[in-house]
Amino acid sequence: MKNARNFLILLALSLLIFTIPSLSSQVSAKEVTTNSSVVTQGELIGTVNFNMLRNSSVKIFTANQNIQIQSGGHLISISSGGVVSSNNSLGTAVVYTFNPNGDYVKYLITVNAR
C-alpha cells in the first residue's frame, strides 16, 4: 500500500513537471503584423524614412514617448530613453509614435549592411 502511494505521488509529480513547461511556452508576446491592429485615433502627421546600419544604436525618439513597433521587432529594439538598437538581421521595421492628442508619425526604419 505504501509503495502504491509513493508510486502515485511520483507519477503525479512526473506529469506535473512535463505539463508546466508546455503551459508556459504557450504564453508569449507576439509582434503585431496587421495594419488594423494599430490604434490610430488621430491623424497621420507624416512618415519618416530612416536608415541605420546593423548592430548599431542611435537616439531617434524622446524619452517617455508613446511608441509601438508594428513590424520588424526582430530587427530593432527601442529603449525607454528612445535609443533604437539594430540587431544583425537586415530589413525594415515599422514604428508608430503617438502624441497626447492621438496624432501619430509612422517611422520606416531600414537596417542596412553598410
Side-chain angles (χ1 to χ4, degrees), residues 14-106:
S14 298
L15 292 175
L16 183 63
I17 288 171
F18 289 118
T19 57
I20 288 176
S22 65
L23 291 175
S24 64
S25 65
Q26 293 174 2
V27 179
S28 62
K30 298 201 181 216
E31 182 180 332
V32 180
T33 57
T34 61
N35 287 337
S36 63
S37 62
V38 176
V39 178
T40 55
Q41 297 173 356
E43 297 292 322
L44 174 66
I45 297 171
T47 301
V48 177
N49 292 314
F50 189 85
N51 292 297
M52 67 184 301
L53 296 176
R54 67 177 164 188
N55 297 320
S56 64
S57 297
V58 64
K59 183 173 173 79
I60 299 177
F61 307 108
T62 60
N64 300 325
Q65 194 172 9
N66 186 3
I67 302 168
Q68 179 180 354
I69 298 177
Q70 173 69 16
S71 64
H74 64 286
L75 299 172
I76 62 169
S77 60
I78 303 173
S79 72
S80 59
V83 176
V84 177
S85 300
S86 61
N87 299 325
N88 198 29
S89 301
L90 304 177
T92 302
V94 179
V95 178
Y96 289 90
T97 61
F98 298 89
N99 68 13
N101 297 329
D103 298 333
Y104 60 98
V105 176
K106 180 179 180 180

